[in-house]
Amino acid sequence: MDAALLSRIQFAWTVSFHILFPTMTIGLAVLIATWEGLWLKTRNPRYLQLAKFWIKPFAITFGSGVVTGIVLSYEFGTNFSEFSHLVGPVLGPLMTYEVLTAFFLEAGFLGVMLFGWQRVGERLHFFATLIVALGTLLSAFWILAANSWMQTPAGYEFVNGQYVPVDWFKVIFNPSFPLRLVHMLLATFLTASFLVAGISAWYLLKGYDREFAKRGLSMTLWFILVLAPLQAFVGDEHGLVVKEHQPAKLAAMEGIWDKVEKSPGLRLFAIPDEKAETNHLEVEVPYLASIILTHSLDGEVTGLKAFAPKDRPPVTPVFFSFRVMVGLGVLMILVAFWANWRRRGGKLWQDKWLLRLLVCMTPAGLIATIAGWWVVEIGRQPWLVYGLVRTEQVVSNLPVERVALTLALFVVTYLVLLAAFLHFYRKLIRKGPPDMAKLESQLVGMQAPGYALNWVRELKKEGF
Amino acid sequence: MELFYFLLLGFAILMYVVLDGFDLGLGILYPALHEQHDRDMMMRSVSHVWDGNETWLVFGGVILMGAFPAAYATLLPTLYLPICLMLVALIFRGIAFEYRFKAHSSRQWWDLAFGLGSSVAAFCQGLMLGSLVQSGGEVLLSPFSVLTAFAVMAGYALLGATYLVVKTSGELQSKAKALVKPLLAAVVLAMLAVSLWNFAAVPSVHSRWLENIGWLWPIPFITAVLAFALLKSLKHSEVAPFFCAVALFVMGFIGLVVGLFPELVPGRLNLFEAAAPAQSLKFMLPGVLIFVPLILAYTFWGYRIFRGKVHDFEEGY
């Protein structure tokens, strides 16, 4: 074990962990804003009930995202100092914009969103919720611009030992950015939708507030029906970008070894063997990869042997992660069609097996997202910036025991964090939605000026 | 332009130190205020702002990376252990905000997470500051760096206590008031000790002050006046002590920077050597000029919405 490897494990661990949280909060923020907006428009308190309930899991997820995100912004410097020196002039400004336009926005309005129900008017509260949702989206925009630049760098030149931006438009809108952004945003919406759908299904099975559960489930199933097939399409388009710009990654994803494979089939399963440079136990659908990747039956795809062994990514994790992601994507589409089919005539609400399946699918979006990120990040190796900066060049020169110590610290900390997160998440879910009668009584006179003040006085009279 | 970013970096650090200072300070004061009810109120008084306060730390980090990548690359690995320890401490205290009110049997653990997390984070920050001043970054557990670490903790605690005076009333307020005096004494002594050490041990700081004493003398003078004003205002005002404490921090910070300028990593890199190429600085400029005032405006608005005392009832989400 050397310090470089430990640093990489530490980064992989902290970043994989972090990504769980924003993936949930970006989609959830949009859902909550939708519900709150629908409540303002229709005055149907069910929507307020949905918004008020989901704000709680949102808050603890957001909090976990914030604290784990801060770690990453410093890890670039602590563990990969040479990297921040080499590409800081390009990536630093992108991240500065992320902080300026997204983090402060989220943090500034989150307080109002969470604690401001009695302090500001309902329109202003809705505005705060919208801004938080906007903040999460902007954050995704900038961080994916930075990540995409590391995948498909553009708009830079090499001056005095540093990569320096020359064309900012090209840096931000680098070749892989637009599709990656759409792909990721769809992933977060799907993740949040499956989360809400699964937990609503569980409420239906357990006999909680049925109307609440039905509305949550019904809405998210519509979302999934539209988004899951769309995601398959976008993912496919994104694959073509990978083929053009990162052929070694694509070869690893598809498990293609020959220098050039003519009419490649789609390997549904295989065990890649990096030493023997071949696959074992292949299950292949002939011509399918050729059709998907080249839109013809006799297309040609570059394989791993076209690259020197030191320029190839680790094949096995990329190959399997890709299959997990795509497999879950296909499953999502099937579930979406099946559930929406069963919805006709209202059979879905009693269909115990389908509801149980939806409960099982609760983390589907999260797992698919992590798998997808492993494809992206491991598939990029051995490059940190594709074709320009190799990972092993830029790791900080740190004593091995120091990195070992912090790695252990982060492993323990994040396990505690995860345990606490799951414990309190479970607690919130088990508690169920807020009581409808209580919610409606709170709403009386809410629009009247001075409402908040009177409410405070009432509470004081009651001896609070 | 390098100078502008240097000022911006200083501004970000100062905002962080003052804003997160008072909410970290509450955690440092936890051992002194151990009643559950008091702790509820303390947490509630900052639960809507701590996230925004901590964002200034991230901002400081990315500005350093974007505008002074060489300094970022030099400093962060040298400060490796205190940075990592600080991050872990910040994680624990951050999630305590989310979980403490939802916990029943585990509440004491979240109290510990908040109290210890805040103290460790503040200690690490002080340690980094001390090491930076003393040796250009190499982390030392020297008497001086430990002294700065405790000075920072005392300073944050002072900010926290005066903030509590603003946000609370009755018994808790008097407890907080009682804490202000000894904390102020500790801060003044620590500032004096750190300044004198800095003056005596670092030749460049020494000559900077001696050569420019004609226009630098107001810095220690105003600092002394502020400390005195804080003490006086405690009797008749709730808000003034907090702002005096903030001003005290600003003066301390200015005093420190005056001695070091233009060094960014003392003895190794000055701000011109560490600056990013002009293209990068130019790209960030419109963002900074537009968004920093905007951020300040809505941060101020957020504080206004939650102005007044922390009320003693459930006001969560």
Side-chain angles (χ1 to χ4, degrees), chain B residues 183-313:
Chain B
L183 284 171
L184 179 64
V187 170
V188 170
L189 280 179
M191 276 176 105
L192 211 60
V194 170
S195 312
L196 287 179
W197 185 95
N198 202 6
F199 182 77
V202 185
S204 60
V205 174
H206 182 88
S207 49
R208 170 71 48 81
W209 278 90
L210 283 187
E211 282 158 24
N212 299 292
I213 194 68
W215 58 276
L216 287 181
W217 66 267
I219 296 175
F221 179 72
I222 295 174
T223 312
V225 170
L226 280 170
F228 190 66
L230 200 165
L231 195 64
K232 280 279 157 201
S233 64
L234 201 57
K235 286 197 191 88
H236 52 80
S237 170
E238 289 183 338
V239 202
F242 176 67
F243 285 105
C244 285
V246 171
L248 213 54
F249 256 84
V250 177
M251 295 314 293
F253 187 74
I254 293 176
L256 209 72
V257 175
V258 161
L260 295 177
F261 184 85
E263 297 292 293
L264 213 51
V265 186
R268 289 203 232 171
L269 270 176
N270 70 35
L271 69 103
F272 302 101
E273 293 161 345
Q279 295 97 311
S280 304
L281 300 181
K282 258 186 225 151
F283 174 63
M284 288 190 286
L285 200 59
V288 167
L289 292 179
I290 295 169
F291 288 106
V292 170
L294 205 62
I295 289 162
L296 291 175
Y298 63 65
T299 305
F300 179 70
W301 172 76
Y303 275 89
R304 257 186 70 84
I305 285 178
F306 294 96
R307 69 186 175 277
K309 305 288 179 189
V310 198
H311 293 292
D312 199 1
F313 58 83

Side-chain angles (χ1 to χ4, degrees), chain B residues 143-182:
Chain B
F144 175 73
S145 62
V146 173
L147 175 69
T148 31
F150 282 116
V152 166
M153 281 176 76
Y156 286 176
L158 178 68
L159 281 172
T162 50
Y163 179 77
L164 269 186
V165 174
V166 180
K167 296 301 278 186
T168 61
S169 52
E171 212 180 315
L172 178 56
Q173 193 189 36
S174 8
K175 282 186 202 167
K177 268 189 183 170
L179 284 169
V180 172
K181 265 187 213 173

Side-chain angles (χ1 to χ4, degrees), chain A residues 73-74 89 97 114 406 427, chain B residues 57 72 80 102 280 283 287 317:
Chain A
S73 66
Y74 279 87
Y97 269 96
L114 297 184
T406 59
K427 213 167 162 176
Chain B
L57 179 67
Y72 187 81
Y80 189 75
K102 297 179 184 73
S280 304
F283 174 63
Y317 44 87

Side-chain angles (χ1 to χ4, degrees), chain A residues 198-210 213 349 352 355-356 359 429-430:
Chain A
I199 288 165
S200 302
W202 187 77
Y203 283 158
L204 281 172
L205 285 169
K206 292 283 168 184
Y208 280 76
D209 189 336
R210 284 187 72 81
W349 320 116
K352 286 214 161 141
L355 291 176
R356 278 182 200 138
V359 173
I429 299 302
R430 284 183 167 253

Side-chain angles (χ1 to χ4, degrees), chain A residues 315-359:
Chain A
V315 181
T316 313
V318 176
F319 183 83
F320 281 112
S321 301
F322 183 61
R323 265 138 204 81
V324 169
M325 177 185 75
V326 174
L328 280 170
V330 172
L331 191 61
M332 285 179 190
I333 296 173
L334 293 178
V335 169
F337 280 107
W338 184 21
N340 279 289
W341 177 259
R342 290 290 286 172
R343 177 217 297 275
R344 302 178 335 142
K347 292 190 200 96
L348 169 66
W349 320 116
Q350 278 83 36
D351 188 335
K352 286 214 161 141
W353 282 106
L354 184 51
L355 291 176
R356 278 182 200 138
L357 176 64
L358 282 165
V359 173

